[in-house]
Amino acid sequence: LELRQTQVEYNSLTVEQKCQRSRESINWLQVRIDYLPIHKICSNTNTILDQLQPPIHNNIDFTQHQTDELDMTALHLLCLNPKATLEMFKLLSNTFPQSATMQARMVTNVDWAQTNLNVTDEMVTPIKLWLKTKGIPYNINDFDEQGRLLLVTAFKQGLEWHDLNIIKNIQFPDSDFFAVRNETSKLYPFMQAATIDGRTKLETVYHLALYDPKSISESSFETERSRRKRARNV
């Protein structure tokens, strides 16, 4: 309702008033995180890992748990940063893993129709912002109930090992994400990746298999056991 009221108000402005409002909005976007040091560092494309470590350790009970005026956590802003590294995601997510499922409101489309402004917005988790930054499309069925990206979706998009590692560290920094069987297919991740229509690179399947070598031996044992069972039934 508040968004619709804002649109009605905006549509009644003159062109000059609209330009002034735009300048004010841009300035607000730039200063809204001035009082949040970790947010500010995460949004800076020149930030390196050594600059991120001290403020996180010094403000772990303060800034790290805060959101800005758009309800974005520091992890949201890091996911919008095209220069963010795997090590940065790992550090931030391990410090505050709850941020992976926190949602912020983001304008996803602005449509001008006969000088009127129509705005579409979306509630987004950090991983959704990372996907948008990478230009990777998604739909509602690509996520679990907590808003985490499903691994099979990443495989279908043909994402490489480096990107899969970033996804893991955004969503499950302390888990064996690449060693857990799919509940439906009962396949290990390396097996799932190998069955996705040739989209997954061999290098990615290789790294997934090496991540948990035990899964290879277990899969081989189960295959041999099934073969012998079928042979006895012949």
Side-chain angles (χ1 to χ4, degrees):
L1 179 59
E2 182 180 348
L3 181 61
R4 287 197 297 270
Q5 289 174 339
T6 302
Q7 290 178 224
V8 171
E9 177 191 353
Y10 186 87
N11 291 338
S12 66
L13 299 177
T14 66
V15 173
E16 186 168 340
Q17 288 173 323
K18 289 178 180 178
C19 289
Q20 177 60 28
R21 181 71 64 86
S22 296
R23 287 191 290 269
E24 292 172 355
S25 297
I26 292 172
N27 181 65
W28 177 79
L29 287 171
Q30 293 172 335
V31 303
R32 79 181 197 280
I33 57 175
D34 279 352
Y35 67 97
L36 297 169
I38 297 180
H39 284 62
K40 195 167 185 177
I41 291 172
C42 287
S43 67
N44 188 340
T45 56
N46 294 318
T47 293
I48 60 174
L49 183 63
D50 289 345
Q51 294 172 308
L52 186 58
Q53 289 171 328
I56 284 182
H57 294 151
N58 295 334
N59 295 278
I60 188 170
D61 294 324
F62 177 60
T63 315
Q64 182 75 18
H65 294 70
Q66 286 190 322
T67 57
D68 65 14
E69 294 182 55
L70 293 176
D71 291 328
M72 289 191 179
T73 65
L75 184 58
H76 279 93
L77 295 184
L78 192 63
C79 287
L80 284 171
N81 188 338
K83 299 294 183 64
T85 66
L86 175 61
E87 289 73 23
M88 291 179 185
F89 285 115
K90 190 177 298 185
L91 172 64
L92 197 59
S93 298
N94 271 300
T95 308
F96 187 37
Q98 299 94 323
S99 60
T101 56
M102 295 180 69
Q103 298 191 77
R105 186 176 299 279
M106 180 181 184
V107 174
T108 56
N109 185 58
V110 177
D111 179 37
W112 290 88
Q114 296 180 346
T115 71
N116 287 334
L117 178 66
N118 296 310
V119 178
T120 304
D121 64 345
E122 177 186 355
M123 297 304 294
V124 292
T125 53
I127 192 63
K128 286 185 178 180
L129 291 185
W130 182 83
L131 292 170
K132 288 180 182 295
T133 301
K134 299 283 288 186
I136 301 171
Y138 61 79
N139 60 59
I140 191 172
N141 297 320
D142 293 331
F143 304 89
D144 65 15
E145 294 178 354
Q146 285 75 44
R148 293 186 173 96
L149 183 71
L150 299 174
L151 189 54
V152 67
T153 299
F155 293 154
K156 289 179 179 178
Q157 291 288 354
L159 298 184
E160 298 185 12
W161 176 242
H162 176 74
D163 286 338
L164 292 177
N165 254 309
I166 288 180
I167 291 171
K168 174 191 179 298
N169 281 286
I170 291 174
Q171 303 186 137
F172 303 99
D174 291 324
S175 75
D176 289 327
F177 186 50
F178 296 137
V180 179
R181 288 190 179 199
N182 182 278
E183 293 182 1
T184 304
S185 66
K186 305 302 180 186
L187 297 177
Y188 285 103
F190 81 92
M191 301 167 73
Q192 278 186 285
T195 62
I196 304 293
D197 227 10
R199 297 185 188 179
T200 308
K201 289 188 176 181
L202 182 59
E203 179 187 4
T204 301
V205 177
Y206 172 76
H207 282 294
L208 286 167
L210 283 187
Y211 184 86
D212 184 33
K214 178 170 60 69
S215 64
I216 301 177
S217 58
E218 288 182 1
S219 301
S220 300
F221 174 76
E222 290 176 5
T223 300
E224 178 63 17
R225 185 173 59 182
S226 298
R227 187 190 66 78
R228 291 181 180 180
K229 184 177 180 180
R230 289 195 300 270
R232 286 197 301 268
N233 293 334
V234 173

